[in-house]
Amino acid sequence: LVEGPSDELIVQRAYEKKHGRMPLEDGIDVISVNSLAFKRFLAIAVLLNKEADVVTDNDGNVSALKKKYADYLELNGISIQFDDDEKAKTLEPQLMKKNGLKVINDILGKSFATEDSAVNFMINNKSDTGLRFSETSVSWEAPDYIARAIR
């Protein structure tokens, strides 16, 4: 379960890079949900005894995130994946943190002088950023919290 379309593109491409095939080919659905719906999907997964990973931003407040998912943090088959770095609170700074400015510029076809300007561009162009990461031949790495979900 991911937060939005750009997250879905990144997770699917990262899975394909790791396994050589798309998640669906392995019977894995990557579903983009509104963050308010995560808990509903998790409740269904528990009832159906299905494994589920939530891949989510920490939104700059890890303790609030842990509190939100407290009922699911210790359940077998349920995994909440996020990064503890509250300064990298969403997907875009996480991509920068993991890959650096040169790789980001290469993927986006831009020449940003600073990481902040590149991250701001990515935040304001989420879908285009996700699509570029999905289609690029430039080598890049998924943020750690995403990599944990695509084991």
Side-chain angles (χ1 to χ4, degrees):
L1 304 174
V2 299
E3 288 195 21
S6 58
D7 304 88
E8 182 179 354
L9 288 167
I10 298 291
V11 168
Q12 289 202 41
R13 180 69 173 113
Y15 187 95
E16 181 184 38
K17 287 171 50 142
K18 181 174 182 175
H19 297 288
R21 58 196 172 278
M22 295 300 283
L24 197 53
E25 294 176 76
D26 286 338
I28 299 169
D29 293 307
V30 179
I31 303 170
S32 175
V33 299
N34 181 309
S35 63
L36 299 175
F38 277 131
K39 290 170 88 175
R40 288 193 178 119
F41 276 90
L42 290 175
I44 292 168
V46 168
L47 287 172
L48 297 175
N49 198 29
K50 297 283 185 183
E51 288 186 27
D53 280 270
V54 169
V55 176
T56 188
D57 299 333
N58 67 42
D59 293 327
N61 191 340
V62 170
S63 61
L65 185 65
K66 288 179 179 179
K67 183 178 178 183
K68 177 179 178 178
Y69 292 109
D71 293 341
Y72 298 96
L73 292 174
E74 302 298 322
L75 293 180
N76 286 334
I78 304 295
S79 181
I80 313 300
Q81 303 293 349
F82 60 91
D83 192 283
D84 287 329
D85 182 356
E86 292 182 345
K87 291 180 183 174
K89 59 186 182 176
T90 63
L91 174 63
E92 297 78 16
Q94 288 287 332
L95 287 167
M96 179 62 72
K97 179 174 135 178
K98 189 67 178 182
N99 294 284
L101 184 58
K102 181 184 180 338
V103 170
I104 298 297
N105 275 335
D106 289 349
I107 291 170
L108 297 177
K110 302 286 186 184
S111 55
F112 294 105
T114 67
E115 290 185 358
D116 286 343
S117 60
V119 168
N120 286 335
F121 175 85
M122 291 191 295
I123 289 170
N124 290 318
N125 299 276
K126 287 180 177 286
S127 295
D128 185 51
T129 297
L131 189 59
R132 288 183 182 263
F133 270 82
S134 178
E135 295 177 340
T136 190
S137 61
V138 174
S139 180
W140 60 273
E141 292 184 46
D144 293 342
Y145 70 108
I146 292 175
R148 288 192 302 268
I150 59 170
R151 58 196 173 274

